[in-house]
Amino acid sequence: MSRVPERAEASGRVALGCVADDYTGGTDVAAALRRAGLRTVLSFGPPVPGTVPPSCEAIVVALKTRTAPVGEAVARTLDARRRLAELGAARLYFKYCSTFDSTDEGNIGPVADAILDDAGVPLTVVCPAAPEHGRTVYQGHLFVRDRLLSESSMKDHPLTPMTDPDLVRVLGRQTPHPVGLLPHATVRDGAAAVRDALDALRRQGVRYAVADAVSDGDLAVLAAGSAHLPVVTGAAGLAGAIAAVSRDKTDTDGTDDTAALPTGPGIVLAGSCSQTTLAQVEAARAAMPSYRVDPARTPDRDGLIAGARAWLDAHAGGGPVMVYSSADAAERADSPLGPAAGAILEDVLARAAEHAVGLGYRRIVVAGGETSGAVLDRLGVRSVVVAEEEDRGVPWCRSTGGPELALLLKSGNFGREDLLVRAIGGHR
């Protein structure tokens, strides 16, 4: 691939550009950047010219590429990378999930290869650690709290089952380039030791340095030690640490130009089948009227859409409501809708969201990455300004295109059990 000249069309102070491989991953990393003090815009797809305010210090581009065909994922990511370069982003961060979920074919490795080739960069860091969420990396192995990734619920993920916790080995199956380890003993020795180790790995021809991190302090060390790298990859944890370093170097006035969130009726739309979301849905069912999109009762798309719309019509004008398709993995696997069940249910929830907005709902809470993507695409929301967090990594956002909405997009595994109830009960 030919390298694209780096040029800036904007004269702002964009310290960091980030490309995330799904929509809720984008909100997660945008929340981390804002928490670190950077004024952050989140764009769903490459930013549209004229939509990035001059005060912006970080731009996150959220894509739906985690499970897309490899060629599509690469092309869409490179388009986003080039647009961020044109907007003056000084560095690029490729954000993937803290569970590193992918298949043996990708898409993390092929996308990262394309980014490095396009930018002319020989080496980068790989670190999905998010200690605040119980994701840590030690000796290159990814842990979910006290269990190896392969012993967590991710081993049964319907799209990207993770049965190997060794990230060096996992990434090695996705790229033809050498993958090395930056062990915790080096991280413990500080930023200078990290930088020296990265330089040594580069001289050895290693392209990817899988970095250990078991605490937020380790992430801070990695951020400082990799500050010379123009491209870094990881989860939201390392991005937040890098943002803190970037902010220290940015002449910012510390102001926050986030406007007040829109008010109005609220709706929860839940499509994730994670154990965390299932518990949150149960709590919400006890607190508000709810409607289950149930293929066992109505096994066709049109019937499911009609049922959800009719239920919303009957409940319009009242308090917050929930429409959900979340179910445990076994039930989803046995769906009468067959292999297309996930995509069909996401479309049904997206059309329910569109109908709800037509009825006057203005606060939209969505649980699930793929569901969030379907909802935003259906509503025509292209970009948002990131506001305060409801839970760690789960921020409220204000839409800047399409209908004026307050949006909260929740990754399946994020948030406390009462998150959906708290979120939809506030911001009235």
Side-chain angles (χ1 to χ4, degrees):
M1 297 182 184
S2 61
R3 184 177 177 183
V4 174
E6 307 296 320
R7 65 186 188 278
E9 294 178 351
S11 58
R13 300 168 292 179
V14 182
L16 188 65
C18 176
V19 180
D21 65 359
D22 79 345
Y23 281 12
T24 53
T27 61
D28 178 24
V29 71
L33 302 182
R34 184 182 186 275
R35 193 186 314 132
L38 298 183
R39 291 184 289 266
T40 303
V41 167
L42 171 59
S43 175
F44 302 102
V48 175
T51 62
V52 178
S55 61
C56 175
E57 296 168 316
I59 305 171
V60 178
V61 178
L63 304 175
K64 294 191 295 182
T65 54
R66 182 172 300 170
T67 57
V70 171
E72 177 186 336
V74 166
R76 294 188 65 196
T77 303
L78 290 183
D79 184 34
R81 187 205 86 78
R82 293 165 183 172
R83 183 60 187 151
L84 287 169
E86 291 168 356
L87 289 169
R91 301 179 74 194
L92 183 76
Y93 193 89
F94 171 36
K95 194 273 179 189
Y96 37 76
C97 186
S98 59
T99 51
F100 209 72
D101 51 307
S102 53
T103 67
D104 278 353
E105 293 74 35
N107 288 339
I108 294 173
V111 168
D113 278 339
I115 291 171
L116 295 184
D117 288 344
D118 202 50
V121 174
L123 174 138
T124 191
V125 165
V126 173
C127 187
E132 65 180 350
H133 297 302
R135 275 69 158 173
T136 56
V137 182
Y138 184 71
Q139 290 301 299
H141 287 64
L142 182 54
F143 288 79
V144 178
R145 295 183 174 84
D146 61 346
R147 311 299 295 178
L148 285 166
L149 177 67
S150 55
E151 298 174 6
S152 74
S153 61
M154 287 302 300
K155 71 180 186 299
D156 299 317
H157 193 285
L159 297 177
T160 52
M162 297 303 294
T163 58
D164 188 349
D166 187 332
L167 300 184
V168 174
R169 197 160 53 206
V170 170
L171 188 56
R173 293 193 289 267
Q174 298 182 18
T175 175
H177 299 282
V179 182
L181 176 65
L182 187 64
H184 191 255
T186 301
V187 177
R188 191 175 53 218
D189 286 341
V194 166
R195 178 162 185 152
D196 289 345
L198 290 173
D199 288 343
L201 288 171
R202 176 182 52 78
R203 289 193 295 271
Q204 294 166 21
V206 170
R207 177 170 252 199
Y208 297 105
V210 173
D212 283 351
V214 299
S215 68
D216 288 339
D218 291 340
L219 294 178
V221 169
L222 287 171
S226 63
H228 62 299
L229 300 181
V231 176
V232 181
T233 83
L238 181 56
I242 289 173
V245 172
S246 299
R247 191 178 192 280
D248 288 343
K249 297 178 180 179
T250 301
D251 180 20
T252 179
D253 58 14
T255 60
D256 189 346
D257 56 5
T258 303
L261 291 167
T263 58
I267 181 171
V268 173
L269 299 146
S272 170
C273 294
S274 75
Q275 292 300 313
T276 298
T277 296
L278 291 176
Q280 292 165 343
V281 166
E282 284 303 304
R285 287 181 61 206
M288 69 188 74
S290 60
Y291 177 81
R292 184 183 180 191
V293 178
D294 186 0
R297 186 177 62 222
T298 311
D300 70 277
R301 183 196 303 257
D302 291 343
L304 291 170
I305 293 169
R309 286 174 172 169
W311 187 86
L312 285 169
D313 287 339
H315 289 78
V321 299
M322 176 172 68
V323 178
Y324 69 101
S325 65
S326 299
D328 63 44
E331 184 176 354
R332 178 63 62 84
D334 292 335
S335 171
L337 296 173
I344 291 172
L345 293 173
E346 288 154 18
D347 181 57
V348 172
L349 291 177
R351 291 173 185 270
E354 180 182 45
H355 193 70
V357 170
L359 293 172
Y361 288 88
R362 289 296 178 266
R363 294 181 297 114
I364 314 293
V365 174
V366 189
E370 297 300 320
T371 306
S372 295
V375 167
L376 291 181
D377 286 351
R378 191 75 195 176
L379 295 180
V381 175
R382 291 294 307 275
S383 62
V384 297
V385 174
V386 181
E388 72 270 18
E389 292 170 279
E390 189 71 49
D391 267 356
R392 194 77 162 179
V394 187
W396 279 99
C397 301
R398 173 177 55 83
S399 63
T400 58
E404 187 177 1
L405 301 170
L407 296 157
L408 185 143
L409 311 177
K410 188 198 85 69
S411 178
N413 289 310
F414 278 20
R416 290 168 283 173
E417 188 168 307
D418 66 342
L419 170 60
L420 302 181
V421 177
R422 266 187 296 110
I424 212 63
H427 304 289
R428 290 181 184 270

